[in-house]
Amino acid sequence: MRVCVLGAGVVGLTSAYQLARDGHDVTILEGRDGAALEASFANGGQLSYSYVAPLADPSVLPHLPAWLLQNDSALRFVPRLDPRQWRWCLSFLLACRGGRARQTAVEMLRLGALSREALHELVQRESIDFNYVRNGKLVVYRDANAFDAARRKMDFLQAAGSEQRALDAAACVALEPALEHARPLLAGGIHTPSEEAGDCHRFSVALAGVLNTRYGVAIHYETPVHSFVTERGAALAVRTPRGEIRADAFVVALGNGSAPLLHALGMRLPMYPLTGYSLTIPVAPGHAPRVSVTDLHRKVVYAPLGERLRIAGMVEIAGMDVTRRDRRLDLLKRQAQEIFPAAGNYAAAQTWCGHRPATPDSKPLIGSTRYRNLWLNTGHGALGFTLACGSARLIADAIAGRAPPLEPGAYAWPR
């Protein structure tokens, strides 16, 4: 079967990989001039399969006023005259209900476990260099009450198959000596040895090469998709600057581009761009973290990528606006120097600002649409790298008509 995948980010490329492995004739269309140049380009770098809990959770509600009003808050809401923004925010608040949030957390953990299995299989099968390390993750807490709450949640995560242990401040520093400067700030930490890290952009570029040379996948860059040609409940082709491109099935993995493309077909996807920021600095050996670290107080993540350190954080509900870019990057740099002042050359930091395609409940949209040969694999928010391989396996199973390893309705749209 001829399958056309729209989008060459990490989700589109992994989808193409699973489909090509199934023997399909796969073509990828990408509007940019290379792979993974949008949300996949310089994300946090952590593969956090045990930390995929939804942003929408009852515990965030008491913190919302401070988070949304303070200039140095990790989460900021910048109101706009955009009905999509307000619909998304209302749906987010509804998704914070306790029972729904708990069920979403379970479903996300299951997808995370499938993704870990699928990535391990891919890494074993293909020769891909992306600074991949199975180095574990340490989430550090500055507030004793927050640390106590995290310890109480360990039973839930351990029941889902996650190996974890609670550490006091001294044990955190023993595990990660680069935290010595921050020791007075720490109440404790939760260590998850199974977590991993890697460079999503390098992974995507390498996978694109494997797809082309080993599996014969055609990748057309600088080929934006303008619209669909449909007839009698099926998609026949997509319109591009290269003309119409026909296929037997289409997978929409365009991230933030998915919603406007499908809106023309009468489908309103519940997605909105959440802005995030990152720094990538050359490391100072012996002073940069060796394990992945998350500073929960600041909502900042640190991922070692070979001789570089990726520092990422913040969520802005501001549409595609980037007017605050420099101020937010300066804030991120100050917050990083607060905990890892000697980690590397901050003056030489490579900076990035990206827009994560997020759903209100944090679950991606994976599965069929009202068009019988048009499929979704989009809306992964900040978890695209972590969930990509598992999502790709789900979409490939759905297209092949195989029994899926997870309940597909959990990620279906509409829901």
Side-chain angles (χ1 to χ4, degrees), residues 169-238:
C172 288
V173 176
L175 175 68
E176 179 45 75
L179 283 167
E180 177 61 46
H181 176 83
R183 184 200 294 252
L185 301 174
L186 304 183
I190 304 294
H191 179 226
T192 310
S194 61
E195 306 299 74
E196 305 165 357
D199 187 316
C200 184
H201 180 250
R202 288 192 180 186
F203 172 84
S204 300
V205 170
L207 183 57
V210 167
L211 286 169
N212 183 248
T213 59
R214 182 170 180 179
Y215 295 95
V217 173
I219 306 178
H220 299 299
Y221 296 115
E222 298 182 282
T223 308
V225 174
H226 298 317
S227 61
F228 279 96
V229 179
T230 62
E231 182 180 289
R232 297 178 182 175
L236 302 182
V238 288

Side-chain angles (χ1 to χ4, degrees), residues 237-260:
V238 288
R239 299 184 181 95
T240 79
R242 296 173 180 264
E244 291 187 0
I245 298 176
R246 303 178 72 86
D248 302 309
F250 297 85
V251 177
V252 179
L254 288 168
N256 288 308
S258 304

Side-chain angles (χ1 to χ4, degrees), residues 80-87 272 319:
R80 313 193 69 78
L81 296 174
D82 182 355
R84 293 183 310 133
Q85 184 190 55
W86 293 95
R87 282 196 299 267
Y272 197 74

